[in-house]
Amino acid sequence: METKNQNEAPTIVTTSKELGQAIKEEKDTIIVEGDLTKKVVRIKATGKVAWGVAAAALGIGVFAIVHTPHATVATAPAGGVGGAISFTGGAVSTGAAGAILGPAAITALTVAVAAGGIGALKTLREKYKIQSKEDKKLVLKRK
């Protein structure tokens, strides 16, 4: 197994997609800046039972988005499948998770999709600790 370079430069992220990619790449230190900060804190602070319910709902949405072939208006059959299914699955799961996570639900869904699955959120919650927190800046350190 390859050992991680503990002296690598911190990765700065400002979007959910960038955060998902940083988690996927197992970055040692991730600096979250801007409005994303509060949403990441919300994801990390959600209790275990509530998180279990939110994660299940988000998992359905991630699956729907990642595994549904994308379709455009020009390529979709008359029934409107393809892109409409991924949108519906994502919207339903975000609605269910939104009851628990609030605005952070969309962030969580985007992070998971960018990283390739719901496991990224588990990694965020379990393998990264909050090293420091300010109003618009959060430093996450891999345990």
Side-chain angles (χ1 to χ4, degrees):
M1 185 171 168
E2 185 178 311
T3 58
K4 300 283 296 162
N5 179 2
Q6 296 296 322
N7 295 321
E8 74 180 18
T11 300
I12 299 172
V13 301
T14 58
T15 68
S16 303
K17 187 175 181 180
E18 292 171 344
L19 178 58
Q21 191 63 38
I23 293 168
K24 183 178 182 178
E25 294 173 1
E26 299 179 346
K27 297 295 185 180
D28 289 324
T29 304
I30 302 171
I31 299 173
V32 181
E33 294 183 340
D35 294 333
L36 184 59
T37 300
K38 290 179 183 178
K39 295 170 185 167
V40 172
V41 169
R42 178 72 184 253
I43 291 167
K44 289 194 58 64
T46 301
K48 287 185 179 187
V49 173
W51 177 254
V53 173
L58 289 168
I60 293 166
V62 170
F63 182 85
I65 292 168
V66 172
H67 296 289
T68 301
H70 295 282
T72 64
V73 174
T75 62
V81 296
I85 294 173
S86 64
F87 174 77
T88 303
V92 169
S93 71
T94 304
I100 296 166
L101 297 175
I106 294 172
T107 299
L109 185 64
T110 307
V111 167
V113 169
I118 194 77
L121 297 172
K122 182 178 180 184
T123 299
L124 173 62
R125 287 177 49 85
E126 295 177 3
K127 295 191 178 181
Y128 284 92
K129 65 179 178 176
I130 296 175
Q131 189 171 34
S132 67
K133 179 180 137 190
E134 297 172 18
D135 186 37
K136 296 278 186 174
K137 183 177 179 182
L138 181 68
V139 179
L140 300 171
K141 183 78 174 162
R142 193 165 172 87
K143 295 178 186 177

